[in-house]
Amino acid sequence: GAGVSQTPSNKVTEKGKYVELRCDPISGHTALYWYRQSLGQGPEFLIYFQGTGAADDSGLPNDRFFAVRPEGSVSTLKIQRTERGDSAVYLCASSSGTGVGEQFFGPGTRLTVL
Amino acid sequence: ILNVEQSPQSLHVQEGDSTNFTCSFPSSNFYALHWYRWETAKSPEALFVMTLNGDEKKKGRISATLNTKEGYSYLYIKGSQPEDSATYLCAFRTSGSARQLTFGSGTQLTVLP
């Protein structure tokens, strides 16, 4: 079946611009996660949705970052006034929300802020 | 702040060699330990989810062990092949309401033909 998809695969923007990154989870998965991987580091948690609501947004670095999941399926990560330090691979994962909660990842969006 | 560490950071082996990597994690409040394999430009692929102390999991030539009391897991690859070249990530999930994974920085494996 279809896995997690993310668009765009690559995004180049200029400092100060607004960007939106999209995640399509596996159909039926109620839990959705955003992570960010900076160069040389492992993925770091940003935010977790259970259904439509953000159950945990403790990983968002500041108020320039915001994410939504209005219908409990597709999610959009929004970054305002981008900075060069926001350059990273943004990963999305989904989970059925039951059992050990195995997370299935998309291929990521590579964001470059010039 | 949870600390998950992996070693070595990178590894080059010859085709046919067997190899292993280490993941260390907090020994308290353990819920699960995940191993992922991540090739460039692809999605991280789930290899194992381990929950019980003493767990051993196997998938083809790859196997993993878990020691929750001392806080470490080993990943073994037997008879490495060039297609095994990837970054191997471990991720820790704590018990309680938090569902997110805390990742190590990964071991980058290169298998030379």
Side-chain angles (χ1 to χ4, degrees), chain B residues 15-57:
Chain B
E15 183 175 356
D17 287 351
S18 294
T19 188
N20 65 85
F21 333 127
T22 304
C23 172
S24 63
F25 51 86
S27 55
S28 58
N29 301 318
F30 176 86
Y31 185 82
L33 193 283
H34 298 243
W35 280 100
Y36 287 88
R37 179 174 175 274
W38 194 7
E39 290 182 71
T40 305
K42 294 186 178 180
S43 303
E45 173 197 355
L47 291 174
F48 306 113
V49 181
M50 308 177 82
T51 57
L52 299 175
N53 185 43
D55 243 357
E56 290 190 26
K57 300 264 187 177

Side-chain angles (χ1 to χ4, degrees), chain A residues 4 31 33 35 37 40-45 48 50 56 58 89 91 97-108, chain B residues 9 31-32 34 36 38 40-49 51 89 93 97-106:
Chain A
V4 178
Y33 304 79
Y35 294 86
Q37 194 228 7
Q41 299 179 20
E44 294 178 312
F45 169 73
Y48 151 57
Q50 182 60 45
D56 186 344
S58 60
V89 175
L91 288 166
T98 60
V100 296
E102 187 173 4
Q103 296 183 21
F104 298 86
F105 282 82
Chain B
Q9 189 173 23
Y31 185 82
H34 298 243
Y36 287 88
W38 194 7
T40 305
K42 294 186 178 180
S43 303
E45 173 197 355
L47 291 174
F48 306 113
V49 181
T51 57
L89 292 164
R93 179 180 158 185
S97 58
R99 301 280 187 96
Q100 64 267 32
L101 301 178
T102 301
F103 282 85
S105 54

Side-chain angles (χ1 to χ4, degrees), chain A residues 2 4 21-22 29 35 49-50 58-59 62 65 67 69 71 83 97 106 113:
Chain A
V4 178
L21 311 179
R22 176 186 166 109
H29 277 190
Y35 294 86
F49 287 89
Q50 182 60 45
S58 60
N62 51 59
F65 288 75
R69 194 186 186 200
E71 297 176 0
E83 299 178 357
V113 182

Side-chain angles (χ1 to χ4, degrees), chain A residues 5-113:
Chain A
S5 62
Q6 293 186 244
T7 54
S9 55
N10 280 282
K11 176 72 178 177
V12 180
T13 191
E14 292 179 343
K15 180 172 178 273
K17 300 289 189 183
Y18 168 82
V19 296
E20 289 189 353
L21 311 179
R22 176 186 166 109
C23 172
D24 276 275
I26 292 172
S27 177
H29 277 190
T30 58
L32 185 147
Y33 304 79
W34 283 99
Y35 294 86
R36 174 170 78 168
Q37 194 228 7
S38 301
L39 196 62
Q41 299 179 20
E44 294 178 312
F45 169 73
L46 296 176
I47 186 169
Y48 151 57
F49 287 89
Q50 182 60 45
T52 60
D56 186 344
D57 65 359
S58 60
L60 294 177
N62 51 59
D63 61 6
R64 296 187 297 105
F65 288 75
F66 189 71
V68 295
R69 194 186 186 200
E71 297 176 0
S73 178
V74 170
S75 176
T76 305
L77 179 66
K78 307 179 181 196
I79 311 175
Q80 296 178 321
R81 304 183 305 280
T82 51
E83 299 178 357
R84 293 197 179 89
D86 298 335
S87 296
V89 175
Y90 289 80
L91 288 166
C92 174
S94 71
S95 167
S96 65
T98 60
V100 296
E102 187 173 4
Q103 296 183 21
F104 298 86
F105 282 82
T109 293
R110 180 175 295 279
L111 175 67
T112 304
V113 182

